[in-house]
Amino acid sequence: MSKFPVVKTGEDVTRQVLADHPELMVVAFRFGAVGAEGALHHHPHVQSTFVESGRFRFTVGDEVTDVGPGDSFVIPSEAVHGCVCLEPGTLVDCFTPRRDDFL
């Protein structure tokens, strides 16, 4: 088992790789304040997101959806997506293949 560092990715937002393998990566994103953002972006990886805690407004393509604890969804490869924190909490994302840029 490897220990990965907590990395600041924005104002009141951090990420920490929890597990990785060339075909899969698990990452925790922690949002510490209302209004903290996961900026709109896209990548070639398929992503699944599980809301461990907190509330978030997600944009995926043209759809905007509010999500909370226990919600999960999949973001297709290259889909433009991002979120705004409505209540501080943690998102657990899985990527396939892994995000080498996070290592």
Side-chain angles (χ1 to χ4, degrees):
M1 295 269 221
S2 298
K3 175 72 174 155
F4 295 94
V6 174
V7 176
K8 185 173 180 169
T9 60
E11 189 68 31
D12 295 312
V13 182
T14 63
R15 88 167 172 251
Q16 183 177 26
V17 173
L18 302 178
D20 84 296
H21 177 277
E23 296 175 22
L24 181 68
M25 176 178 272
V26 182
V27 182
F29 287 89
R30 295 179 179 93
F31 291 76
V34 172
E37 291 187 47
L40 288 173
H41 65 287
H42 63 92
H43 44 73
H45 314 83
V46 175
Q47 173 180 333
S48 69
T49 296
F50 171 74
V51 183
E52 179 180 286
S53 60
R55 297 199 63 75
F56 300 87
R57 179 161 293 138
F58 259 88
T59 299
V60 179
D62 295 331
E63 288 190 42
V64 177
T65 306
D66 288 359
V67 295
D71 289 338
S72 62
F73 51 95
V74 172
I75 300 169
S77 174
E78 297 299 349
V80 175
H81 61 284
C83 69
V84 175
C85 180
L86 303 176
E87 177 184 303
T90 300
L91 301 172
V92 178
D93 291 347
C94 295
F95 299 93
T96 186
R98 78 173 166 207
R99 296 279 308 256
D100 288 336
D101 57 318
F102 286 1
L103 296 176

